Amino acid sequence: MAKPETVSTSQMIANVAAKFDQLPKKITKEVIADFLNTVESEVASGKKLRIDKIGILQVKERAPRMGRNPQTGEEIKIPASKKIAFRAAKSLKEQVTGSRSPAKAKKAAVVAKKKK
């Protein structure tokens, strides 16, 4: 399997700036940088952050537990810690896997049309 292409923040800024001619690249860069800083600070403060069409980022507490040193087999105490958890949104999963059934896609289109 080929290694996936990595899109950097500067490439993302250039892509967004290209879509909006009236918005200077410098302002686009500031907006995206501020968005990323806000995401970082909200998650770091322990809040659950839900970003539509992307997913949920949150901090999860890990309880202290006993583990083993794989080299010696000796039991060691692993202290409590925090980790960042990400759960992808359903729409993102469907977009990646292409698993959205034609019936569901048609139903979603009908619902969207009724809302207008």
Side-chain angles (χ1 to χ4, degrees), residues 58-105:
Q58 70 185 77
V59 176
K60 289 200 172 182
E61 302 280 335
R62 296 190 76 178
R65 63 193 191 280
M66 295 302 291
R68 288 200 181 271
N69 181 333
Q71 292 179 334
T72 63
E74 174 188 0
E75 280 198 354
I76 56 172
K77 184 176 181 180
I78 301 170
S81 62
K82 295 179 182 180
K83 71 173 194 157
I84 299 172
F86 174 74
R87 188 171 70 227
K90 183 179 177 184
S91 61
L92 180 61
K93 289 178 191 175
E94 289 172 347
Q95 188 81 21
V96 169
T97 62
S99 66
R100 191 168 202 183
S101 70
K104 283 186 180 179

Side-chain angles (χ1 to χ4, degrees), residues 12-27:
M12 190 170 61
I13 290 167
N15 291 343
V16 171
K19 290 180 185 177
F20 299 97
D21 298 339
Q22 69 278 13
L23 194 61
K25 191 174 179 180
K26 183 178 180 182
I27 293 176

Side-chain angles (χ1 to χ4, degrees), residues 9 12-14 16-17 27-37:
T9 304
M12 190 170 61
I13 290 167
V16 171
I27 293 176
T28 304
K29 181 178 180 179
E30 290 173 6
V31 169
I32 291 176
D34 190 49
F35 171 77
L36 295 174
N37 287 335

